[in-house]
């Protein structure tokens, strides 16, 4: 499905570029904003994953559930979106509720390494920044969801791959998958559902804004 998205995007771009009309449509390609989004996504994924070596998963869920607050803050300060008093209260109550449920698990085997907490804080602010950047690209820059997914991920891939190669994680992953071939199928299923979820998430961002989309994804926890 991801390969189909990639190919269909380039086919569409080729058709738009080669079509001849009296007033040809200008293809909007804000690559500077997309490069910034790719860097933020790479930092967010890297710090969020690295944090698991210092804290347990429930602690990560607690922190990630709080990203609605910085998302709302950046939406107001950077994008200039209005924020009512009730929206702010609702965000705080939602985060408090999810955190209360998640912290019950973390109490059983807490791991609060300071380095892991710092990594998680960077990750949640990265999530908040990427959500607002996605909204800006989809609404203000008129970037399509297909273009946003393909370009941002194509630019994120070499950054993440470089770190994985430098840390010798690629070889370890190949050895792991060779010994556990069933995991390949699990990763494939995860990738498919992740792609479907991303399409729904971006539609929420484009329609209702970054804070609303982050609020919905927080509820799934």
């Amino acid at each position: 499905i991801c390969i189909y998205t990639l190919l269909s995007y380039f086919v569409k771009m080729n058709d738009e570029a080669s079509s001849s009309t009296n007033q040809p449509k200008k293809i909007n390609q804000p690559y500077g904003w997309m490069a910034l989004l790719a860097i933020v996504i790479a930092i967010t994924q890297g710090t969020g994953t690295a944090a698991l070596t210092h804290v347990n998963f429930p602690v990560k869920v607690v922190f990630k559930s709080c990203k609605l607050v910085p998302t709302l803050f950046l939406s107001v300060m950077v994008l200039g979106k209005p924020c009512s008093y009730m929206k702010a209260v609702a965000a705080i109550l939602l985060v408090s509720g999810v955190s209360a449920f998640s912290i019950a698990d973390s109490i059983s085997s807490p791991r609060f390494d300071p380095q892991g907490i710092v990594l998680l804080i960077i990750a949640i602010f990265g999530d908040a920044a990427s959500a607002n950047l996605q909204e800006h690209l989809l609404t203000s820059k008129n970037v399509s969801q297909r273009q946003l997914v393909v370009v941002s991920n194509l630019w994120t891939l070499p950054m993440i791959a470089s770190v994985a190669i430098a840390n010798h994680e690629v070889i370890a992953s190949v050895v792991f998958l060779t010994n556990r071939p069933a995991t390949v199928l699990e990763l494939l299923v995860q990738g498919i559902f992740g792609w479907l979820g991303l399409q729904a998430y971006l539609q929420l961002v484009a329609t209702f804004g970054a804070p609303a989309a982050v609020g919905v994804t927080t509820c799934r926890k």
Side-chain angles (χ1 to χ4, degrees):
I1 294 177
C2 296
I3 294 176
Y4 167 77
T5 304
L6 178 63
L7 294 177
S8 62
Y9 164 72
F10 285 114
V11 169
K12 180 180 178 182
M13 294 296 293
N14 182 66
D15 291 341
E16 291 179 348
S18 60
S19 61
S20 57
T21 56
N22 294 331
Q23 294 181 344
K25 182 181 179 181
K26 182 180 179 180
I27 302 174
N28 194 3
Q29 298 178 339
Y31 288 130
W33 286 100
M34 289 190 177
L36 178 60
L37 175 61
I39 294 172
V40 172
I41 291 175
I43 294 174
T44 301
Q45 292 181 350
T47 53
T49 302
L52 286 176
T53 61
H54 304 281
V55 299
N56 57 7
F57 190 76
V59 172
K60 179 182 177 181
V61 172
V62 171
F63 273 81
K64 296 283 279 187
S65 299
C66 298
K67 67 181 179 181
L68 178 59
V69 174
T71 301
L72 194 60
F73 174 79
L74 291 178
S75 178
V76 175
M77 300 301 296
V78 178
L79 299 181
K81 300 288 185 179
C83 177
S84 64
Y85 172 77
M86 292 301 297
K87 184 183 293 186
V89 172
I92 295 174
L93 289 176
L94 176 60
V95 170
S96 301
V98 176
S99 299
F101 278 105
S102 302
I103 205 169
D105 290 331
S106 65
I107 292 177
S108 60
S109 56
R111 289 168 54 197
F112 287 96
D113 190 313
Q115 185 175 353
I117 300 303
V118 172
L119 290 172
L120 285 176
I121 292 175
I122 296 174
I124 63 173
F125 274 93
D127 274 331
S130 63
N132 283 285
L133 283 171
Q134 289 166 342
E135 179 183 355
H136 180 68
L137 286 166
L138 290 171
T139 56
S140 300
K141 299 298 182 181
N142 297 321
V143 175
S144 67
Q145 292 186 25
R146 183 187 289 112
Q147 183 182 7
L148 182 63
V149 171
V150 171
V151 177
S152 61
N153 282 278
L154 278 178
W155 291 358
T156 303
L157 176 61
M159 289 184 280
I160 296 179
S162 299
V163 176
I165 293 173
N167 294 335
H168 307 288
E169 294 178 354
V170 174
I171 298 177
S173 300
V174 172
V175 173
F176 179 85
L177 294 176
T178 301
N179 296 329
R180 299 172 176 81
T183 307
V184 177
L185 179 60
E186 295 174 353
L187 291 174
L188 178 61
V189 173
Q190 180 190 24
I192 292 174
F193 280 100
W195 181 87
L196 293 173
L198 179 60
Q199 301 306 308
Y201 170 76
L202 290 177
Q203 187 61 48
L204 283 172
V205 172
T207 305
F208 301 103
V214 171
V216 172
T217 59
T218 301
C219 291
R220 81 180 189 272
K221 295 179 174 64

